Amino acid sequence: MIHYRSNAKRFVISILFLTVFCFGTNVWAQDGKALFQQNCASCHAVNKNLTGPALAGIEERVPDKKLLYAWIRNNQAVLQTGNKYFNDLYNQYNKAAMNLFPNLTDGEIAAIITYVNKAASEAAAPPKEEGGAKAEAQGSDNSLLYGILTLVLAVIVLILLQVNSNLKRLTDEKEGIPSYEPVPFWRNKAYIALFAVVLFIIGGYFTIQGAIGLGRSKDYQPEQPIYYSHKVHAGTNQINCLYCHGGAQEGKHANIPSLNTCMNCHMAINEYAGEKLYREDGTEVNGTEEIKKLYKYTGWDPQAKKYTGEAKPIEWVKIHNLPDHVYFNHAQHVKAGKVACQTCHGPIQEMGEVYQFSDLSMGWCVNCHRESKVQFTDNKFYSIYEKFHNDLKSGKMDSVTVEKIGGTECQKCHY
Ligand code: HEC
Ligand code: HEC
Ligand code: HEC
Ligand code: HEC
Ligand code: HEC
Ligand code: HEC
């Protein structure tokens, strides 16, 4: 029985090793993308200049790795050293300040840059098919492949173990040591038990992942009653977000504007003559027809130029929705925290129909609170934190994160 036990031990170790290897590498590969989306995507794209420059080819432009990492962590410090390249860039971008990321580790920065390089080379390759972004999202999820690989390797391990014990029996027989018929592994209780345990762990992992994700709806992009394009309004025509979502400045909710707000402009603008518009599925949108729908809802007669009184309410499909047990306040973030809409909602000004950009998970809130600096200057919310002010002034502290003012305490976000 002794060599069975040691075989079983080896088996457990190899399975554990394989599992760690599979999930480990998978997490690695995705990390860079997630970190980029979370920290950088509000200002940077890989191949397009947004608020900040396109990041493709960054290692060629800044070959000094130390300098590059220093910039990403604390660009203000690099600017102060008088570095010519970065000071020129800063002026070129109208002195737009990039955020500081003092908490990013070397490994995390390396993962972001690896992701940028990978995305840049994928975009440089000839386009594979329509809907590139979604295809890419699927392509990067290799867990199925790894799963199959694990299974195949596990079977090979089992077969080798069997061969090993057979050989041992043969040599034992040759040397005249009495031995017994080995039980094949599919009837060996130890193996069966192990197999059950491994299945249980893997099953449990996926069940828990699934349960945590319940009710989350990242990328949710419902079709709306009117094809209202944020790209046309907030992008091309530069209408300020607060013109329609003024609530975000004053209170908890950002609010969806009433159709009267739309009519401020659309009494006059009754046709669409801009760039062609397409839905996600590739069908073309007739902007003028969509404006006519707006007239139907508001009961506006564009010929007579008056309201007929036959208005009906519009039901926009709600996209972002936190569970009822969570308290989230827009003004706290937009007005006091000076967090840009795009940091949480993504590049809304480039979206046809809005989709949910962030997963709105608790981890998402808490991670940002760990990293974000509180803006103490002209922020009346925090006059009670005199001590922080003084520590900041005397240089004892160089910044105060949201966590330090209690932003990760349960009752701050939970009713
Ligand atoms: C608030 C907007 C903002 C965020 C967030 C941001 N950046 Fe920047 N970044 C900029 C701007 C603007 C510049 C151009 C220089 C300047 O004006 O400071 C820049 C420049 C850069 C450069 C130099 C580009 C070049 O062509 O040489 C790198 C590298 C960079 N950012 C990396 C990052 C990374 C990595 C992240 C995420 C961890 C990030 N940035 C997050 C705004 C941002
Ligand atoms: C001219 C008015 C207007 C402007 C300007 C505007 N929006 Fe909107 N927004 C709407 C309307 C109407 C909806 C509801 C329909 C929809 O979801 O597309 C909406 C929906 C949204 C949603 C999704 C709400 C939900 O259901 O969860 C977000 C987020 C959003 N807007 C953010 C922004 C940001 C950020 C800007 C500025 C870059 C902006 N909006 C500019 C009118 C506007
Ligand atoms: C500040 C002025 C302004 C406001 C407010 C405004 N729009 Fe527009 N809208 C425009 C302009 C400008 C265009 C583009 C016209 C063109 O390019 O020919 C446009 C185009 C459109 C179009 C056709 C393109 C598309 O997005 O499908 C629709 C539909 C539309 N608006 C609906 C709305 C709705 C619904 C609201 C209210 C939530 C609204 N607009 C509020 C100025 C406005
Ligand atoms: C710190 C992250 C964050 C920032 C910054 C932010 N939002 Fe939101 N926004 C959210 C969350 C979370 C929700 C979901 C709220 C809910 O379900 O109660 C939301 C919901 C919305 C909605 C849907 C209606 C509502 O209030 O529930 C609109 C519209 C919206 N945001 C617009 C904006 C605009 C415009 C800005 C910038 C002025 C902005 N948001 C800034 C996180 C943010
Ligand atoms: C992009 C970064 C970011 C994200 C994401 C974010 N927050 Fe915040 N949050 C901040 C900042 C910055 C402040 C500090 C604002 C200030 O200066 O008053 C803050 C403050 C708060 C406060 C007040 C804390 C205090 O001690 O007064 C609450 C409550 C809060 N956030 C809830 C949430 C919830 C709930 C979510 C997720 C749905 C969330 N936040 C997501 C950046 C973020
Ligand atoms: C910065 C804001 C924030 C803080 C602080 C916070 N939570 Fe949450 N919590 C959330 C959000 C947002 C959700 C909803 C996540 C979702 O829908 O997936 C949530 C969900 C939960 C859930 C439901 C399970 C789940 O993952 O969906 C539990 C339980 C929970 N929180 C407990 C806590 C406890 C305990 C603390 C204190 C240690 C805490 N929370 C602190 C924002 C916060």
PDB file of all heavy atoms in Angstrom, residues 4 46 69 71 93 122 127 168 172 190 231-232 245 247 250 253 272 279 282 291 312 321 332 356 367-368 377 407:
ATOM      1  N   TYR A   4       1.419   3.172  -3.135  1.00  0.00           N
ATOM      2  CA  TYR A   4       0.208   3.834  -3.601  1.00  0.00           C
ATOM      3  C   TYR A   4       0.049   5.203  -2.978  1.00  0.00           C
ATOM      4  O   TYR A   4      -0.306   6.162  -3.618  1.00  0.00           O
ATOM      5  CB  TYR A   4      -1.032   2.994  -3.288  1.00  0.00           C
ATOM      6  CG  TYR A   4      -1.256   2.016  -4.387  1.00  0.00           C
ATOM      7  CD1 TYR A   4      -1.128   0.658  -4.189  1.00  0.00           C
ATOM      8  CD2 TYR A   4      -1.544   2.501  -5.669  1.00  0.00           C
ATOM      9  CE1 TYR A   4      -1.290  -0.216  -5.220  1.00  0.00           C
ATOM     10  CE2 TYR A   4      -1.696   1.614  -6.701  1.00  0.00           C
ATOM     11  CZ  TYR A   4      -1.573   0.252  -6.487  1.00  0.00           C
ATOM     12  OH  TYR A   4      -1.727  -0.596  -7.508  1.00  0.00           O
ATOM     13  N   VAL A  46      -5.278  52.933 -27.410  1.00  0.00           N
ATOM     14  CA  VAL A  46      -4.023  52.379 -27.898  1.00  0.00           C
ATOM     15  C   VAL A  46      -3.616  53.059 -29.200  1.00  0.00           C
ATOM     16  O   VAL A  46      -2.466  53.446 -29.384  1.00  0.00           O
ATOM     17  CB  VAL A  46      -4.162  50.851 -28.086  1.00  0.00           C
ATOM     18  CG1 VAL A  46      -2.929  50.281 -28.760  1.00  0.00           C
ATOM     19  CG2 VAL A  46      -4.368  50.194 -26.731  1.00  0.00           C
ATOM     20  N   TYR A  69       8.499  54.299 -16.476  1.00  0.00           N
ATOM     21  CA  TYR A  69       7.776  53.869 -15.281  1.00  0.00           C
ATOM     22  C   TYR A  69       7.603  55.049 -14.322  1.00  0.00           C
ATOM     23  O   TYR A  69       6.566  55.217 -13.684  1.00  0.00           O
ATOM     24  CB  TYR A  69       8.507  52.718 -14.583  1.00  0.00           C
ATOM     25  CG  TYR A  69       8.308  51.379 -15.253  1.00  0.00           C
ATOM     26  CD1 TYR A  69       8.178  51.279 -16.641  1.00  0.00           C
ATOM     27  CD2 TYR A  69       8.234  50.207 -14.510  1.00  0.00           C
ATOM     28  CE1 TYR A  69       8.003  50.057 -17.255  1.00  0.00           C
ATOM     29  CE2 TYR A  69       8.052  48.972 -15.120  1.00  0.00           C
ATOM     30  CZ  TYR A  69       7.943  48.905 -16.490  1.00  0.00           C
ATOM     31  OH  TYR A  69       7.755  47.699 -17.097  1.00  0.00           O
ATOM     32  N   TRP A  71       7.391  58.141 -15.114  1.00  0.00           N
ATOM     33  CA  TRP A  71       6.361  59.020 -15.677  1.00  0.00           C
ATOM     34  C   TRP A  71       4.970  58.501 -15.322  1.00  0.00           C
ATOM     35  O   TRP A  71       4.103  59.246 -14.881  1.00  0.00           O
ATOM     36  CB  TRP A  71       6.516  59.124 -17.191  1.00  0.00           C
ATOM     37  CG  TRP A  71       5.334  59.764 -17.845  1.00  0.00           C
ATOM     38  CD1 TRP A  71       4.260  59.115 -18.406  1.00  0.00           C
ATOM     39  CD2 TRP A  71       5.056  61.161 -17.983  1.00  0.00           C
ATOM     40  NE1 TRP A  71       3.349  60.024 -18.882  1.00  0.00           N
ATOM     41  CE2 TRP A  71       3.816  61.282 -18.638  1.00  0.00           C
ATOM     42  CE3 TRP A  71       5.758  62.316 -17.618  1.00  0.00           C
ATOM     43  CZ2 TRP A  71       3.248  62.522 -18.936  1.00  0.00           C
ATOM     44  CZ3 TRP A  71       5.190  63.542 -17.921  1.00  0.00           C
ATOM     45  CH2 TRP A  71       3.950  63.638 -18.568  1.00  0.00           C
ATOM     46  N   TYR A  93       0.029  69.025 -25.253  1.00  0.00           N
ATOM     47  CA  TYR A  93      -1.318  68.659 -24.807  1.00  0.00           C
ATOM     48  C   TYR A  93      -1.915  69.737 -23.903  1.00  0.00           C
ATOM     49  O   TYR A  93      -2.694  69.445 -22.995  1.00  0.00           O
ATOM     50  CB  TYR A  93      -1.306  67.291 -24.128  1.00  0.00           C
ATOM     51  CG  TYR A  93      -1.367  66.195 -25.165  1.00  0.00           C
ATOM     52  CD1 TYR A  93      -0.217  65.787 -25.821  1.00  0.00           C
ATOM     53  CD2 TYR A  93      -2.570  65.617 -25.539  1.00  0.00           C
ATOM     54  CE1 TYR A  93      -0.265  64.824 -26.817  1.00  0.00           C
ATOM     55  CE2 TYR A  93      -2.627  64.661 -26.521  1.00  0.00           C
ATOM     56  CZ  TYR A  93      -1.475  64.264 -27.161  1.00  0.00           C
ATOM     57  OH  TYR A  93      -1.541  63.320 -28.148  1.00  0.00           O
ATOM     58  N   GLU A 122      -2.143  43.758 -32.713  1.00  0.00           N
ATOM     59  CA  GLU A 122      -3.379  43.161 -33.229  1.00  0.00           C
ATOM     60  C   GLU A 122      -4.067  44.112 -34.189  1.00  0.00           C
ATOM     61  O   GLU A 122      -4.605  43.708 -35.209  1.00  0.00           O
ATOM     62  CB  GLU A 122      -4.328  42.824 -32.081  1.00  0.00           C
ATOM     63  CG  GLU A 122      -4.164  41.398 -31.612  1.00  0.00           C
ATOM     64  CD  GLU A 122      -4.879  41.146 -30.295  1.00  0.00           C
ATOM     65  OE1 GLU A 122      -5.801  41.926 -29.942  1.00  0.00           O
ATOM     66  OE2 GLU A 122      -4.507  40.184 -29.613  1.00  0.00           O
ATOM     67  N   PRO A 127      -7.441  43.542 -40.599  1.00  0.00           N
ATOM     68  CA  PRO A 127      -8.659  43.335 -39.836  1.00  0.00           C
ATOM     69  C   PRO A 127      -9.264  41.967 -40.139  1.00  0.00           C
ATOM     70  O   PRO A 127      -9.381  41.588 -41.303  1.00  0.00           O
ATOM     71  CB  PRO A 127      -9.574  44.460 -40.305  1.00  0.00           C
ATOM     72  CG  PRO A 127      -8.971  44.968 -41.569  1.00  0.00           C
ATOM     73  CD  PRO A 127      -7.527  44.698 -41.496  1.00  0.00           C
ATOM     74  N   LYS A 168       7.147  -1.430 -11.564  1.00  0.00           N
ATOM     75  CA  LYS A 168       7.637  -1.706 -10.222  1.00  0.00           C
ATOM     76  C   LYS A 168       7.312  -3.150  -9.839  1.00  0.00           C
ATOM     77  O   LYS A 168       8.124  -3.864  -9.291  1.00  0.00           O
ATOM     78  CB  LYS A 168       6.981  -0.736  -9.240  1.00  0.00           C
ATOM     79  CG  LYS A 168       7.884  -0.438  -8.068  1.00  0.00           C
ATOM     80  CD  LYS A 168       7.344   0.726  -7.317  1.00  0.00           C
ATOM     81  CE  LYS A 168       8.399   1.327  -6.425  1.00  0.00           C
ATOM     82  NZ  LYS A 168       7.968   2.629  -5.955  1.00  0.00           N
ATOM     83  N   ASP A 172       9.880  -6.063  -8.932  1.00  0.00           N
ATOM     84  CA  ASP A 172       9.698  -6.745  -7.646  1.00  0.00           C
ATOM     85  C   ASP A 172       9.651  -8.252  -7.866  1.00  0.00           C
ATOM     86  O   ASP A 172      10.291  -9.031  -7.160  1.00  0.00           O
ATOM     87  CB  ASP A 172       8.401  -6.283  -6.982  1.00  0.00           C
ATOM     88  CG  ASP A 172       8.578  -4.935  -6.313  1.00  0.00           C
ATOM     89  OD1 ASP A 172       9.716  -4.410  -6.359  1.00  0.00           O
ATOM     90  OD2 ASP A 172       7.591  -4.399  -5.769  1.00  0.00           O
ATOM     91  N   ALA A 190      -8.513   5.754  -3.636  1.00  0.00           N
ATOM     92  CA  ALA A 190      -7.799   7.015  -3.398  1.00  0.00           C
ATOM     93  C   ALA A 190      -7.939   7.929  -4.607  1.00  0.00           C
ATOM     94  O   ALA A 190      -8.232   9.117  -4.477  1.00  0.00           O
ATOM     95  CB  ALA A 190      -6.328   6.737  -3.110  1.00  0.00           C
ATOM     96  N   LYS A 231     -22.586  60.248 -29.306  1.00  0.00           N
ATOM     97  CA  LYS A 231     -21.471  60.652 -30.158  1.00  0.00           C
ATOM     98  C   LYS A 231     -21.852  61.928 -30.909  1.00  0.00           C
ATOM     99  O   LYS A 231     -21.077  62.879 -30.968  1.00  0.00           O
ATOM    100  CB  LYS A 231     -21.137  59.530 -31.132  1.00  0.00           C
ATOM    101  CG  LYS A 231     -19.915  59.831 -31.936  1.00  0.00           C
ATOM    102  CD  LYS A 231     -19.462  58.623 -32.718  1.00  0.00           C
ATOM    103  CE  LYS A 231     -18.207  58.985 -33.480  1.00  0.00           C
ATOM    104  NZ  LYS A 231     -18.131  58.280 -34.760  1.00  0.00           N
ATOM    105  N   VAL A 232     -23.081  61.965 -31.453  1.00  0.00           N
ATOM    106  CA  VAL A 232     -23.516  63.144 -32.200  1.00  0.00           C
ATOM    107  C   VAL A 232     -23.610  64.354 -31.259  1.00  0.00           C
ATOM    108  O   VAL A 232     -23.133  65.431 -31.580  1.00  0.00           O
ATOM    109  CB  VAL A 232     -24.878  62.881 -32.875  1.00  0.00           C
ATOM    110  CG1 VAL A 232     -25.466  64.181 -33.424  1.00  0.00           C
ATOM    111  CG2 VAL A 232     -24.729  61.852 -33.974  1.00  0.00           C
ATOM    112  N   HIS A 245     -27.492  66.269 -17.943  1.00  0.00           N
ATOM    113  CA  HIS A 245     -27.419  65.484 -16.703  1.00  0.00           C
ATOM    114  C   HIS A 245     -26.981  66.369 -15.545  1.00  0.00           C
ATOM    115  O   HIS A 245     -26.089  66.005 -14.770  1.00  0.00           O
ATOM    116  CB  HIS A 245     -26.440  64.317 -16.853  1.00  0.00           C
ATOM    117  CG  HIS A 245     -26.764  63.372 -17.962  1.00  0.00           C
ATOM    118  ND1 HIS A 245     -27.904  62.604 -17.979  1.00  0.00           N
ATOM    119  CD2 HIS A 245     -26.102  63.065 -19.111  1.00  0.00           C
ATOM    120  CE1 HIS A 245     -27.916  61.857 -19.077  1.00  0.00           C
ATOM    121  NE2 HIS A 245     -26.845  62.114 -19.789  1.00  0.00           N
ATOM    122  N   GLY A 247     -28.108  67.001 -12.779  1.00  0.00           N
ATOM    123  CA  GLY A 247     -28.267  66.417 -11.450  1.00  0.00           C
ATOM    124  C   GLY A 247     -26.958  65.896 -10.891  1.00  0.00           C
ATOM    125  O   GLY A 247     -26.760  65.882  -9.674  1.00  0.00           O
ATOM    126  N   GLU A 250     -25.387  68.258  -8.585  1.00  0.00           N
ATOM    127  CA  GLU A 250     -26.092  68.718  -7.397  1.00  0.00           C
ATOM    128  C   GLU A 250     -26.474  67.633  -6.406  1.00  0.00           C
ATOM    129  O   GLU A 250     -26.639  67.902  -5.237  1.00  0.00           O
ATOM    130  CB  GLU A 250     -27.384  69.447  -7.799  1.00  0.00           C
ATOM    131  CG  GLU A 250     -27.159  70.912  -8.103  1.00  0.00           C
ATOM    132  CD  GLU A 250     -27.549  71.234  -9.524  1.00  0.00           C
ATOM    133  OE1 GLU A 250     -28.625  70.775  -9.947  1.00  0.00           O
ATOM    134  OE2 GLU A 250     -26.788  71.912 -10.217  1.00  0.00           O
ATOM    135  N   HIS A 253     -28.492  61.634  -7.984  1.00  0.00           N
ATOM    136  CA  HIS A 253     -28.718  61.092  -9.323  1.00  0.00           C
ATOM    137  C   HIS A 253     -28.315  62.054 -10.418  1.00  0.00           C
ATOM    138  O   HIS A 253     -28.461  63.261 -10.293  1.00  0.00           O
ATOM    139  CB  HIS A 253     -30.189  60.727  -9.504  1.00  0.00           C
ATOM    140  CG  HIS A 253     -30.571  59.508  -8.737  1.00  0.00           C
ATOM    141  ND1 HIS A 253     -30.122  58.261  -9.082  1.00  0.00           N
ATOM    142  CD2 HIS A 253     -31.325  59.350  -7.634  1.00  0.00           C
ATOM    143  CE1 HIS A 253     -30.591  57.381  -8.216  1.00  0.00           C
ATOM    144  NE2 HIS A 253     -31.326  58.018  -7.322  1.00  0.00           N
ATOM    145  N   TYR A 272     -31.451  65.434 -39.705  1.00  0.00           N
ATOM    146  CA  TYR A 272     -30.082  65.085 -39.368  1.00  0.00           C
ATOM    147  C   TYR A 272     -29.267  65.011 -40.645  1.00  0.00           C
ATOM    148  O   TYR A 272     -29.614  64.278 -41.568  1.00  0.00           O
ATOM    149  CB  TYR A 272     -30.032  63.744 -38.639  1.00  0.00           C
ATOM    150  CG  TYR A 272     -28.616  63.316 -38.332  1.00  0.00           C
ATOM    151  CD1 TYR A 272     -27.880  63.975 -37.361  1.00  0.00           C
ATOM    152  CD2 TYR A 272     -28.011  62.272 -39.035  1.00  0.00           C
ATOM    153  CE1 TYR A 272     -26.571  63.609 -37.091  1.00  0.00           C
ATOM    154  CE2 TYR A 272     -26.700  61.899 -38.768  1.00  0.00           C
ATOM    155  CZ  TYR A 272     -25.985  62.578 -37.792  1.00  0.00           C
ATOM    156  OH  TYR A 272     -24.694  62.218 -37.535  1.00  0.00           O
ATOM    157  N   ARG A 279     -26.163  51.161 -36.115  1.00  0.00           N
ATOM    158  CA  ARG A 279     -26.385  50.425 -34.870  1.00  0.00           C
ATOM    159  C   ARG A 279     -25.271  49.408 -34.684  1.00  0.00           C
ATOM    160  O   ARG A 279     -24.497  49.163 -35.603  1.00  0.00           O
ATOM    161  CB  ARG A 279     -27.723  49.671 -34.940  1.00  0.00           C
ATOM    162  CG  ARG A 279     -28.910  50.572 -34.804  1.00  0.00           C
ATOM    163  CD  ARG A 279     -30.157  49.789 -34.398  1.00  0.00           C
ATOM    164  NE  ARG A 279     -31.217  50.750 -34.152  1.00  0.00           N
ATOM    165  CZ  ARG A 279     -31.910  51.357 -35.119  1.00  0.00           C
ATOM    166  NH1 ARG A 279     -31.662  51.056 -36.377  1.00  0.00           N
ATOM    167  NH2 ARG A 279     -32.829  52.243 -34.820  1.00  0.00           N
ATOM    168  N   GLY A 282     -24.863  46.815 -37.265  1.00  0.00           N
ATOM    169  CA  GLY A 282     -24.413  47.248 -38.586  1.00  0.00           C
ATOM    170  C   GLY A 282     -25.496  47.897 -39.442  1.00  0.00           C
ATOM    171  O   GLY A 282     -25.196  48.457 -40.496  1.00  0.00           O
ATOM    172  N   ILE A 291     -35.521  61.788 -35.255  1.00  0.00           N
ATOM    173  CA  ILE A 291     -35.986  63.083 -34.732  1.00  0.00           C
ATOM    174  C   ILE A 291     -37.516  63.154 -34.841  1.00  0.00           C
ATOM    175  O   ILE A 291     -38.185  63.681 -33.950  1.00  0.00           O
ATOM    176  CB  ILE A 291     -35.307  64.258 -35.477  1.00  0.00           C
ATOM    177  CG1 ILE A 291     -33.802  64.245 -35.179  1.00  0.00           C
ATOM    178  CG2 ILE A 291     -35.904  65.603 -35.052  1.00  0.00           C
ATOM    179  CD1 ILE A 291     -32.999  65.284 -35.920  1.00  0.00           C
ATOM    180  N   LYS A 312     -46.871  61.576 -25.470  1.00  0.00           N
ATOM    181  CA  LYS A 312     -46.863  60.343 -24.671  1.00  0.00           C
ATOM    182  C   LYS A 312     -45.492  60.203 -24.035  1.00  0.00           C
ATOM    183  O   LYS A 312     -44.498  60.680 -24.585  1.00  0.00           O
ATOM    184  CB  LYS A 312     -47.220  59.138 -25.530  1.00  0.00           C
ATOM    185  CG  LYS A 312     -46.313  58.954 -26.729  1.00  0.00           C
ATOM    186  CD  LYS A 312     -46.688  57.716 -27.510  1.00  0.00           C
ATOM    187  CE  LYS A 312     -45.755  57.600 -28.724  1.00  0.00           C
ATOM    188  NZ  LYS A 312     -45.880  56.432 -29.507  1.00  0.00           N
ATOM    189  N   ASN A 321     -27.388  50.342 -12.875  1.00  0.00           N
ATOM    190  CA  ASN A 321     -28.310  50.099 -11.781  1.00  0.00           C
ATOM    191  C   ASN A 321     -27.605  49.393 -10.635  1.00  0.00           C
ATOM    192  O   ASN A 321     -27.322  48.208 -10.720  1.00  0.00           O
ATOM    193  CB  ASN A 321     -29.483  49.253 -12.290  1.00  0.00           C
ATOM    194  CG  ASN A 321     -30.728  49.500 -11.492  1.00  0.00           C
ATOM    195  OD1 ASN A 321     -30.703  50.235 -10.505  1.00  0.00           O
ATOM    196  ND2 ASN A 321     -31.819  48.886 -11.897  1.00  0.00           N
ATOM    197  N   GLN A 332     -20.947  63.890  -4.841  1.00  0.00           N
ATOM    198  CA  GLN A 332     -19.744  63.601  -4.052  1.00  0.00           C
ATOM    199  C   GLN A 332     -18.555  63.321  -4.961  1.00  0.00           C
ATOM    200  O   GLN A 332     -17.427  63.691  -4.664  1.00  0.00           O
ATOM    201  CB  GLN A 332     -20.009  62.379  -3.165  1.00  0.00           C
ATOM    202  CG  GLN A 332     -18.815  61.955  -2.330  1.00  0.00           C
ATOM    203  CD  GLN A 332     -18.849  62.597  -0.961  1.00  0.00           C
ATOM    204  OE1 GLN A 332     -19.838  62.512  -0.265  1.00  0.00           O
ATOM    205  NE2 GLN A 332     -17.767  63.246  -0.590  1.00  0.00           N
ATOM    206  N   GLN A 356     -22.805  49.983 -20.674  1.00  0.00           N
ATOM    207  CA  GLN A 356     -22.193  50.081 -19.344  1.00  0.00           C
ATOM    208  C   GLN A 356     -20.724  49.738 -19.434  1.00  0.00           C
ATOM    209  O   GLN A 356     -20.355  48.635 -19.806  1.00  0.00           O
ATOM    210  CB  GLN A 356     -22.923  49.154 -18.374  1.00  0.00           C
ATOM    211  CG  GLN A 356     -22.390  49.299 -16.956  1.00  0.00           C
ATOM    212  CD  GLN A 356     -23.210  48.499 -15.967  1.00  0.00           C
ATOM    213  OE1 GLN A 356     -24.427  48.440 -16.075  1.00  0.00           O
ATOM    214  NE2 GLN A 356     -22.552  47.888 -15.002  1.00  0.00           N
ATOM    215  N   ASN A 367     -11.389  49.697  -4.890  1.00  0.00           N
ATOM    216  CA  ASN A 367     -10.058  49.884  -5.473  1.00  0.00           C
ATOM    217  C   ASN A 367      -9.812  51.337  -5.811  1.00  0.00           C
ATOM    218  O   ASN A 367      -8.729  51.859  -5.593  1.00  0.00           O
ATOM    219  CB  ASN A 367      -9.896  49.031  -6.737  1.00  0.00           C
ATOM    220  CG  ASN A 367      -9.629  47.588  -6.379  1.00  0.00           C
ATOM    221  OD1 ASN A 367      -9.237  47.285  -5.261  1.00  0.00           O
ATOM    222  ND2 ASN A 367      -9.860  46.702  -7.323  1.00  0.00           N
ATOM    223  N   CYS A 368     -10.819  51.988  -6.348  1.00  0.00           N
ATOM    224  CA  CYS A 368     -10.621  53.386  -6.708  1.00  0.00           C
ATOM    225  C   CYS A 368     -10.438  54.224  -5.450  1.00  0.00           C
ATOM    226  O   CYS A 368      -9.617  55.130  -5.423  1.00  0.00           O
ATOM    227  CB  CYS A 368     -11.780  53.903  -7.538  1.00  0.00           C
ATOM    228  SG  CYS A 368     -11.496  55.582  -8.067  1.00  0.00           S
ATOM    229  N   THR A 377      -8.026  71.043  -1.957  1.00  0.00           N
ATOM    230  CA  THR A 377      -8.134  72.469  -2.240  1.00  0.00           C
ATOM    231  C   THR A 377      -9.568  72.793  -2.635  1.00  0.00           C
ATOM    232  O   THR A 377     -10.187  72.046  -3.388  1.00  0.00           O
ATOM    233  CB  THR A 377      -7.175  72.872  -3.377  1.00  0.00           C
ATOM    234  OG1 THR A 377      -7.184  71.825  -4.324  1.00  0.00           O
ATOM    235  CG2 THR A 377      -5.778  73.107  -2.861  1.00  0.00           C
ATOM    236  N   GLY A 407     -13.329  56.053   3.187  1.00  0.00           N
ATOM    237  CA  GLY A 407     -14.047  55.629   1.981  1.00  0.00           C
ATOM    238  C   GLY A 407     -14.120  54.129   1.758  1.00  0.00           C
ATOM    239  O   GLY A 407     -14.686  53.683   0.776  1.00  0.00           O
TER     240      GLY A 407
END
